[in-house]
Amino acid sequence: MKTILLSVLSATFLSIGAPVMAQEFGDAEDGAQVFKKCRACHMVGPDAFNRTGPHLNELFGRRAGSVEEVTYSDGLIRMGNDGLMWDVESLDAYIENPKAFASDTRMNFPGVKDQGQRNDLLAFLRQYSASPANIPGSAPTAMPREVALSDETLAIEGDAEYGQYLSSECTSCHQIDGDNDGIPGIVGWPQEDFVVAMHAYKEKVRPHPVMQMMAGRLADDEIAALAAYFGGLE
Amino acid sequence: MTMNRRQFVGRTALGAAATMAAPHVYAAGHGGKPKVVVIGGGAGGATAARYINKDSDGAIDVTLVEPTRTYYTCFFSNLYIGGFRTIESLAHSYGSIAAEGVNVVHDYAVGIDRDAKTVTLAGGDTLPYDRLVLSPGIDFVEGAVPGWDVSVQNKMPHAYKAGSQTELLKAQIEAMPEGGTFAMVAPPNPFRCPPGPYERVSMVAHLLTEINPTARILIADPKEKFSKQALFEEGWNKHYSGMIERIGPDFGGNNVEVNADEMTLTIDGVVENVDVCNVIPAMKAGVICERAGLTEGNWAPVSGHTMQSRIDENVHVLGDACAQGDMPKSGFSANSQAKVAAMAVRGALTDSRVFPAKFSNTCWSLVNADDGIKVGASYEATDEKISMTEGFISDTGEDAALRKATYEESLGWYAGISSDIFG
């Protein structure tokens, strides 16, 4: 995950006692413009209904993959079952690069790469969620938290031979032919996506106890080694 | 799981007999390549044979000795009893491993000469080795349950080596009279698959709920506590209320005797007439470990760094048979240990790189349809033992969606580990 800056709509949301820090405020009006990228598939607001993608009312605090009568990818449903609730941090990561966040997502969208635009978009969407938990400007998340990967970490050249040895621990569950049934396939990913995903488990941004444990004990160079090995398959 | 070398009956014996017709000459014809012999074609041995062979690119001759041609995984065999899997879905052959270049020999390993570094097969052949990998699974401690020995295993099945025993146990449960009693004698620690007996009880209860809902389940257990106990007991209360009774050591669950002719189970002097009696005796390393002088007590001690025997550095012992430290005896553990051993063997016999040992294990169990639970941990090698670094376990009170997802994850794991073990 890149550095995630939290957007705050209004100072009135800052609760008493929360430290006030330098923050980048998203602009909901600008976010409405960014939302045009999403409108082909998503609706939000009083008359919203599900189109290709789910409606986005009450998105903050909603369990991933949980809107009825929407066809989700197995991966997103699994993440929801593992406990992923959409909040500003997970939405920011998802919108930045949907396929890196959930490799089999049906959201066929390259992502919003610009942090400022994402802040604006989330500020816009936040207006349609009543839940005050884990949304921009609310107390629990008003403090900037980082799940940051430095350029140095991303630049580590993976030792694919070491990765091959380490991979044997992965293939006790993940099939080397990339089969995606029950347990997701992990071969042939872009290396950076793989690295980001593993660090997200390591930092416990992504849910799933097994993966948090497996990633949790991998050093940066070991994650890079695995990314290099699995990325080179198929 | 490796089939018992002497006591296994039915299809195994037929398979073994068929292989004895064609003796081979192994000592010649391998040039100057280092030789590895792997005994036991289960989760540990088959994985080790595959990984040594595939990662050494033909630089090492690998021979896998396994008496059976069709291997039935112990993991998921309870799901067969519960009606969630067919027996065929648990069956695996060695065709892929052989096609990859491993010499697969279907015979019984009957002796190891550690000085000469040779393995003797029941068919009479002698296999020389530079490194030996032993993954023979478990055998039962004689006299562990008074009144039971392997000669009565068809009346009172253990079903702790999958295949015909599992089929027999299920057939007996299906033939129980209405309102009859299924009894289990649970084993003392340590034993293969710590949640296994309790997953089995869950699956038997599931089956009986469907076909014989007034039947009862009686467990005599010498242990005060067992794996995933809170999760299993929560599930038993929820799904099978009133059906299951467990008698722990406080009430004599450690003082049992069976009589296969009378079909009785005596717990602390109280005689129970039972219709099915699943006796899971105390376990020890596959008997070839003992014959080779590689055991201390019931198990073969190993170093966690390489899985080498602490008694003979030319021998690596994997899986249920070894005493390694904190890892549970499971197919997942054996598969994990095999990869460390494969790396160490390759490093010793060729100039391949050696990396620090890492191990992991996850055990999924099914409590009822779509009600899956799991426990797992990661491990590292210390000089003293394989030591747990971090673990997790399912929570009680999880919602149905998560339990279903856990079950579906276990199906994915079965497919994944099966192809990792057998190719």
Side-chain angles (χ1 to χ4, degrees), chain B residues 107-126:
Chain B
D107 201 346
Y108 288 84
V110 292
I112 299 167
D113 183 335
R114 294 198 281 113
D115 294 327
K117 295 207 278 185
T118 57
V119 174
T120 306
L121 304 182
D125 292 314
T126 299

mmCIF file with all atom_site columns, all heavy atoms in Angstrom, chain B residues 107-126:
data_model
loop_
_atom_site.group_PDB
_atom_site.id
_atom_site.type_symbol
_atom_site.label_atom_id
_atom_site.label_alt_id
_atom_site.label_comp_id
_atom_site.label_asym_id
_atom_site.label_entity_id
_atom_site.label_seq_id
_atom_site.pdbx_PDB_ins_code
_atom_site.Cartn_x
_atom_site.Cartn_y
_atom_site.Cartn_z
_atom_site.occupancy
_atom_site.B_iso_or_equiv
_atom_site.pdbx_formal_charge
_atom_site.auth_seq_id
_atom_site.auth_comp_id
_atom_site.auth_asym_id
_atom_site.auth_atom_id
_atom_site.pdbx_PDB_model_num
ATOM 1   N N   . ASP B 1 107 ? 6.812  -52.155 -3.079 1.00 0.00 ? 107 ASP B N   1
ATOM 2   C CA  . ASP B 1 107 ? 7.276  -53.285 -2.285 1.00 0.00 ? 107 ASP B CA  1
ATOM 3   C C   . ASP B 1 107 ? 7.348  -52.817 -0.829 1.00 0.00 ? 107 ASP B C   1
ATOM 4   O O   . ASP B 1 107 ? 7.239  -51.623 -0.550 1.00 0.00 ? 107 ASP B O   1
ATOM 5   C CB  . ASP B 1 107 ? 8.673  -53.733 -2.774 1.00 0.00 ? 107 ASP B CB  1
ATOM 6   C CG  . ASP B 1 107 ? 8.994  -55.168 -2.370 1.00 0.00 ? 107 ASP B CG  1
ATOM 7   O OD1 . ASP B 1 107 ? 8.285  -55.723 -1.501 1.00 0.00 ? 107 ASP B OD1 1
ATOM 8   O OD2 . ASP B 1 107 ? 9.962  -55.731 -2.923 1.00 0.00 ? 107 ASP B OD2 1
ATOM 9   N N   . TYR B 1 108 ? 7.527  -53.761 0.073  1.00 0.00 ? 108 TYR B N   1
ATOM 10  C CA  . TYR B 1 108 ? 7.687  -53.432 1.479  1.00 0.00 ? 108 TYR B CA  1
ATOM 11  C C   . TYR B 1 108 ? 9.171  -53.303 1.800  1.00 0.00 ? 108 TYR B C   1
ATOM 12  O O   . TYR B 1 108 ? 9.958  -54.175 1.444  1.00 0.00 ? 108 TYR B O   1
ATOM 13  C CB  . TYR B 1 108 ? 7.111  -54.533 2.373  1.00 0.00 ? 108 TYR B CB  1
ATOM 14  C CG  . TYR B 1 108 ? 5.606  -54.597 2.380  1.00 0.00 ? 108 TYR B CG  1
ATOM 15  C CD1 . TYR B 1 108 ? 4.927  -55.291 1.378  1.00 0.00 ? 108 TYR B CD1 1
ATOM 16  C CD2 . TYR B 1 108 ? 4.880  -53.982 3.392  1.00 0.00 ? 108 TYR B CD2 1
ATOM 17  C CE1 . TYR B 1 108 ? 3.541  -55.358 1.397  1.00 0.00 ? 108 TYR B CE1 1
ATOM 18  C CE2 . TYR B 1 108 ? 3.492  -54.049 3.411  1.00 0.00 ? 108 TYR B CE2 1
ATOM 19  C CZ  . TYR B 1 108 ? 2.835  -54.730 2.412  1.00 0.00 ? 108 TYR B CZ  1
ATOM 20  O OH  . TYR B 1 108 ? 1.471  -54.793 2.428  1.00 0.00 ? 108 TYR B OH  1
ATOM 21  N N   . ALA B 1 109 ? 9.537  -52.224 2.479  1.00 0.00 ? 109 ALA B N   1
ATOM 22  C CA  . ALA B 1 109 ? 10.888 -52.134 3.019  1.00 0.00 ? 109 ALA B CA  1
ATOM 23  C C   . ALA B 1 109 ? 10.893 -52.898 4.339  1.00 0.00 ? 109 ALA B C   1
ATOM 24  O O   . ALA B 1 109 ? 10.132 -52.574 5.241  1.00 0.00 ? 109 ALA B O   1
ATOM 25  C CB  . ALA B 1 109 ? 11.262 -50.678 3.245  1.00 0.00 ? 109 ALA B CB  1
ATOM 26  N N   . VAL B 1 110 ? 11.718 -53.933 4.395  1.00 0.00 ? 110 VAL B N   1
ATOM 27  C CA  . VAL B 1 110 ? 11.695 -54.775 5.597  1.00 0.00 ? 110 VAL B CA  1
ATOM 28  C C   . VAL B 1 110 ? 12.912 -54.583 6.484  1.00 0.00 ? 110 VAL B C   1
ATOM 29  O O   . VAL B 1 110 ? 12.903 -54.967 7.648  1.00 0.00 ? 110 VAL B O   1
ATOM 30  C CB  . VAL B 1 110 ? 11.546 -56.279 5.240  1.00 0.00 ? 110 VAL B CB  1
ATOM 31  C CG1 . VAL B 1 110 ? 10.153 -56.546 4.661  1.00 0.00 ? 110 VAL B CG1 1
ATOM 32  C CG2 . VAL B 1 110 ? 12.634 -56.731 4.285  1.00 0.00 ? 110 VAL B CG2 1
ATOM 33  N N   . GLY B 1 111 ? 13.972 -53.999 5.956  1.00 0.00 ? 111 GLY B N   1
ATOM 34  C CA  . GLY B 1 111 ? 15.159 -53.828 6.788  1.00 0.00 ? 111 GLY B CA  1
ATOM 35  C C   . GLY B 1 111 ? 16.042 -52.698 6.289  1.00 0.00 ? 111 GLY B C   1
ATOM 36  O O   . GLY B 1 111 ? 16.042 -52.360 5.101  1.00 0.00 ? 111 GLY B O   1
ATOM 37  N N   . ILE B 1 112 ? 16.780 -52.096 7.231  1.00 0.00 ? 112 ILE B N   1
ATOM 38  C CA  . ILE B 1 112 ? 17.747 -51.058 6.881  1.00 0.00 ? 112 ILE B CA  1
ATOM 39  C C   . ILE B 1 112 ? 19.076 -51.430 7.517  1.00 0.00 ? 112 ILE B C   1
ATOM 40  O O   . ILE B 1 112 ? 19.139 -51.673 8.729  1.00 0.00 ? 112 ILE B O   1
ATOM 41  C CB  . ILE B 1 112 ? 17.289 -49.676 7.419  1.00 0.00 ? 112 ILE B CB  1
ATOM 42  C CG1 . ILE B 1 112 ? 15.942 -49.268 6.794  1.00 0.00 ? 112 ILE B CG1 1
ATOM 43  C CG2 . ILE B 1 112 ? 18.353 -48.617 7.145  1.00 0.00 ? 112 ILE B CG2 1
ATOM 44  C CD1 . ILE B 1 112 ? 15.292 -48.093 7.504  1.00 0.00 ? 112 ILE B CD1 1
ATOM 45  N N   . ASP B 1 113 ? 20.119 -51.497 6.696  1.00 0.00 ? 113 ASP B N   1
ATOM 46  C CA  . ASP B 1 113 ? 21.474 -51.698 7.221  1.00 0.00 ? 113 ASP B CA  1
ATOM 47  C C   . ASP B 1 113 ? 22.170 -50.346 7.180  1.00 0.00 ? 113 ASP B C   1
ATOM 48  O O   . ASP B 1 113 ? 22.602 -49.891 6.117  1.00 0.00 ? 113 ASP B O   1
ATOM 49  C CB  . ASP B 1 113 ? 22.211 -52.725 6.359  1.00 0.00 ? 113 ASP B CB  1
ATOM 50  C CG  . ASP B 1 113 ? 23.616 -53.034 6.917  1.00 0.00 ? 113 ASP B CG  1
ATOM 51  O OD1 . ASP B 1 113 ? 24.177 -52.159 7.616  1.00 0.00 ? 113 ASP B OD1 1
ATOM 52  O OD2 . ASP B 1 113 ? 24.134 -54.132 6.637  1.00 0.00 ? 113 ASP B OD2 1
ATOM 53  N N   . ARG B 1 114 ? 22.246 -49.688 8.332  1.00 0.00 ? 114 ARG B N   1
ATOM 54  C CA  . ARG B 1 114 ? 22.746 -48.316 8.336  1.00 0.00 ? 114 ARG B CA  1
ATOM 55  C C   . ARG B 1 114 ? 24.256 -48.244 8.124  1.00 0.00 ? 114 ARG B C   1
ATOM 56  O O   . ARG B 1 114 ? 24.775 -47.220 7.687  1.00 0.00 ? 114 ARG B O   1
ATOM 57  C CB  . ARG B 1 114 ? 22.336 -47.604 9.632  1.00 0.00 ? 114 ARG B CB  1
ATOM 58  C CG  . ARG B 1 114 ? 20.820 -47.412 9.709  1.00 0.00 ? 114 ARG B CG  1
ATOM 59  C CD  . ARG B 1 114 ? 20.430 -46.364 10.733 1.00 0.00 ? 114 ARG B CD  1
ATOM 60  N NE  . ARG B 1 114 ? 20.465 -46.858 12.099 1.00 0.00 ? 114 ARG B NE  1
ATOM 61  C CZ  . ARG B 1 114 ? 21.319 -46.464 13.034 1.00 0.00 ? 114 ARG B CZ  1
ATOM 62  N NH1 . ARG B 1 114 ? 22.258 -45.565 12.747 1.00 0.00 ? 114 ARG B NH1 1
ATOM 63  N NH2 . ARG B 1 114 ? 21.262 -46.955 14.253 1.00 0.00 ? 114 ARG B NH2 1
ATOM 64  N N   . ASP B 1 115 ? 24.973 -49.327 8.439  1.00 0.00 ? 115 ASP B N   1
ATOM 65  C CA  . ASP B 1 115 ? 26.418 -49.328 8.188  1.00 0.00 ? 115 ASP B CA  1
ATOM 66  C C   . ASP B 1 115 ? 26.708 -49.484 6.706  1.00 0.00 ? 115 ASP B C   1
ATOM 67  O O   . ASP B 1 115 ? 27.525 -48.768 6.136  1.00 0.00 ? 115 ASP B O   1
ATOM 68  C CB  . ASP B 1 115 ? 27.086 -50.457 8.989  1.00 0.00 ? 115 ASP B CB  1
ATOM 69  C CG  . ASP B 1 115 ? 26.981 -50.201 10.485 1.00 0.00 ? 115 ASP B CG  1
ATOM 70  O OD1 . ASP B 1 115 ? 27.010 -49.005 10.861 1.00 0.00 ? 115 ASP B OD1 1
ATOM 71  O OD2 . ASP B 1 115 ? 26.823 -51.163 11.245 1.00 0.00 ? 115 ASP B OD2 1
ATOM 72  N N   . ALA B 1 116 ? 25.999 -50.428 6.078  1.00 0.00 ? 116 ALA B N   1
ATOM 73  C CA  . ALA B 1 116 ? 26.193 -50.647 4.639  1.00 0.00 ? 116 ALA B CA  1
ATOM 74  C C   . ALA B 1 116 ? 25.436 -49.610 3.807  1.00 0.00 ? 116 ALA B C   1
ATOM 75  O O   . ALA B 1 116 ? 25.656 -49.492 2.607  1.00 0.00 ? 116 ALA B O   1
ATOM 76  C CB  . ALA B 1 116 ? 25.728 -52.050 4.258  1.00 0.00 ? 116 ALA B CB  1
ATOM 77  N N   . LYS B 1 117 ? 24.560 -48.884 4.447  1.00 0.00 ? 117 LYS B N   1
ATOM 78  C CA  . LYS B 1 117 ? 23.671 -47.920 3.791  1.00 0.00 ? 117 LYS B CA  1
ATOM 79  C C   . LYS B 1 117 ? 22.855 -48.584 2.678  1.00 0.00 ? 117 LYS B C   1
ATOM 80  O O   . LYS B 1 117 ? 22.935 -48.233 1.504  1.00 0.00 ? 117 LYS B O   1
ATOM 81  C CB  . LYS B 1 117 ? 24.457 -46.712 3.266  1.00 0.00 ? 117 LYS B CB  1
ATOM 82  C CG  . LYS B 1 117 ? 25.077 -45.889 4.396  1.00 0.00 ? 117 LYS B CG  1
ATOM 83  C CD  . LYS B 1 117 ? 25.276 -44.432 4.016  1.00 0.00 ? 117 LYS B CD  1
ATOM 84  C CE  . LYS B 1 117 ? 26.538 -44.235 3.215  1.00 0.00 ? 117 LYS B CE  1
ATOM 85  N NZ  . LYS B 1 117 ? 26.796 -42.798 2.958  1.00 0.00 ? 117 LYS B NZ  1
ATOM 86  N N   . THR B 1 118 ? 22.103 -49.591 3.083  1.00 0.00 ? 118 THR B N   1
ATOM 87  C CA  . THR B 1 118 ? 21.206 -50.291 2.150  1.00 0.00 ? 118 THR B CA  1
ATOM 88  C C   . THR B 1 118 ? 19.845 -50.528 2.793  1.00 0.00 ? 118 THR B C   1
ATOM 89  O O   . THR B 1 118 ? 19.725 -50.613 4.018  1.00 0.00 ? 118 THR B O   1
ATOM 90  C CB  . THR B 1 118 ? 21.769 -51.670 1.739  1.00 0.00 ? 118 THR B CB  1
ATOM 91  O OG1 . THR B 1 118 ? 21.999 -52.454 2.922  1.00 0.00 ? 118 THR B OG1 1
ATOM 92  C CG2 . THR B 1 118 ? 23.063 -51.545 0.954  1.00 0.00 ? 118 THR B CG2 1
ATOM 93  N N   . VAL B 1 119 ? 18.849 -50.632 1.912  1.00 0.00 ? 119 VAL B N   1
ATOM 94  C CA  . VAL B 1 119 ? 17.488 -50.969 2.326  1.00 0.00 ? 119 VAL B CA  1
ATOM 95  C C   . VAL B 1 119 ? 17.126 -52.303 1.698  1.00 0.00 ? 119 VAL B C   1
ATOM 96  O O   . VAL B 1 119 ? 17.357 -52.512 0.501  1.00 0.00 ? 119 VAL B O   1
ATOM 97  C CB  . VAL B 1 119 ? 16.489 -49.890 1.849  1.00 0.00 ? 119 VAL B CB  1
ATOM 98  C CG1 . VAL B 1 119 ? 15.048 -50.316 2.153  1.00 0.00 ? 119 VAL B CG1 1
ATOM 99  C CG2 . VAL B 1 119 ? 16.797 -48.546 2.495  1.00 0.00 ? 119 VAL B CG2 1
ATOM 100 N N   . THR B 1 120 ? 16.591 -53.208 2.496  1.00 0.00 ? 120 THR B N   1
ATOM 101 C CA  . THR B 1 120 ? 16.170 -54.509 1.975  1.00 0.00 ? 120 THR B CA  1
ATOM 102 C C   . THR B 1 120 ? 14.656 -54.519 1.796  1.00 0.00 ? 120 THR B C   1
ATOM 103 O O   . THR B 1 120 ? 13.926 -54.067 2.674  1.00 0.00 ? 120 THR B O   1
ATOM 104 C CB  . THR B 1 120 ? 16.571 -55.642 2.946  1.00 0.00 ? 120 THR B CB  1
ATOM 105 O OG1 . THR B 1 120 ? 17.966 -55.530 3.188  1.00 0.00 ? 120 THR B OG1 1
ATOM 106 C CG2 . THR B 1 120 ? 16.268 -57.002 2.335  1.00 0.00 ? 120 THR B CG2 1
ATOM 107 N N   . LEU B 1 121 ? 14.241 -55.030 0.633  1.00 0.00 ? 121 LEU B N   1
ATOM 108 C CA  . LEU B 1 121 ? 12.812 -55.095 0.336  1.00 0.00 ? 121 LEU B CA  1
ATOM 109 C C   . LEU B 1 121 ? 12.285 -56.508 0.545  1.00 0.00 ? 121 LEU B C   1
ATOM 110 O O   . LEU B 1 121 ? 13.037 -57.486 0.454  1.00 0.00 ? 121 LEU B O   1
ATOM 111 C CB  . LEU B 1 121 ? 12.559 -54.664 -1.115 1.00 0.00 ? 121 LEU B CB  1
ATOM 112 C CG  . LEU B 1 121 ? 13.093 -53.278 -1.490 1.00 0.00 ? 121 LEU B CG  1
ATOM 113 C CD1 . LEU B 1 121 ? 12.747 -52.950 -2.938 1.00 0.00 ? 121 LEU B CD1 1
ATOM 114 C CD2 . LEU B 1 121 ? 12.554 -52.210 -0.556 1.00 0.00 ? 121 LEU B CD2 1
ATOM 115 N N   . ALA B 1 122 ? 10.982 -56.615 0.788  1.00 0.00 ? 122 ALA B N   1
ATOM 116 C CA  . ALA B 1 122 ? 10.373 -57.933 1.005  1.00 0.00 ? 122 ALA B CA  1
ATOM 117 C C   . ALA B 1 122 ? 10.598 -58.834 -0.202 1.00 0.00 ? 122 ALA B C   1
ATOM 118 O O   . ALA B 1 122 ? 10.761 -60.040 -0.077 1.00 0.00 ? 122 ALA B O   1
ATOM 119 C CB  . ALA B 1 122 ? 8.876  -57.775 1.281  1.00 0.00 ? 122 ALA B CB  1
ATOM 120 N N   . GLY B 1 123 ? 10.626 -58.238 -1.398 1.00 0.00 ? 123 GLY B N   1
ATOM 121 C CA  . GLY B 1 123 ? 10.837 -59.016 -2.618 1.00 0.00 ? 123 GLY B CA  1
ATOM 122 C C   . GLY B 1 123 ? 12.264 -59.509 -2.774 1.00 0.00 ? 123 GLY B C   1
ATOM 123 O O   . GLY B 1 123 ? 12.560 -60.229 -3.734 1.00 0.00 ? 123 GLY B O   1
ATOM 124 N N   . GLY B 1 124 ? 13.152 -59.103 -1.887 1.00 0.00 ? 124 GLY B N   1
ATOM 125 C CA  . GLY B 1 124 ? 14.515 -59.610 -1.914 1.00 0.00 ? 124 GLY B CA  1
ATOM 126 C C   . GLY B 1 124 ? 15.543 -58.624 -2.431 1.00 0.00 ? 124 GLY B C   1
ATOM 127 O O   . GLY B 1 124 ? 16.745 -58.822 -2.260 1.00 0.00 ? 124 GLY B O   1
ATOM 128 N N   . ASP B 1 125 ? 15.120 -57.557 -3.061 1.00 0.00 ? 125 ASP B N   1
ATOM 129 C CA  . ASP B 1 125 ? 16.079 -56.591 -3.594 1.00 0.00 ? 125 ASP B CA  1
ATOM 130 C C   . ASP B 1 125 ? 16.731 -55.786 -2.480 1.00 0.00 ? 125 ASP B C   1
ATOM 131 O O   . ASP B 1 125 ? 16.173 -55.633 -1.394 1.00 0.00 ? 125 ASP B O   1
ATOM 132 C CB  . ASP B 1 125 ? 15.381 -55.622 -4.548 1.00 0.00 ? 125 ASP B CB  1
ATOM 133 C CG  . ASP B 1 125 ? 14.922 -56.306 -5.816 1.00 0.00 ? 125 ASP B CG  1
ATOM 134 O OD1 . ASP B 1 125 ? 15.737 -57.056 -6.377 1.00 0.00 ? 125 ASP B OD1 1
ATOM 135 O OD2 . ASP B 1 125 ? 13.767 -56.117 -6.215 1.00 0.00 ? 125 ASP B OD2 1
ATOM 136 N N   . THR B 1 126 ? 17.913 -55.281 -2.786 1.00 0.00 ? 126 THR B N   1
ATOM 137 C CA  . THR B 1 126 ? 18.623 -54.418 -1.861 1.00 0.00 ? 126 THR B CA  1
ATOM 138 C C   . THR B 1 126 ? 18.895 -53.093 -2.561 1.00 0.00 ? 126 THR B C   1
ATOM 139 O O   . THR B 1 126 ? 19.421 -53.071 -3.679 1.00 0.00 ? 126 THR B O   1
ATOM 140 C CB  . THR B 1 126 ? 19.965 -55.049 -1.441 1.00 0.00 ? 126 THR B CB  1
ATOM 141 O OG1 . THR B 1 126 ? 19.672 -56.290 -0.789 1.00 0.00 ? 126 THR B OG1 1
ATOM 142 C CG2 . THR B 1 126 ? 20.721 -54.154 -0.485 1.00 0.00 ? 126 THR B CG2 1
#
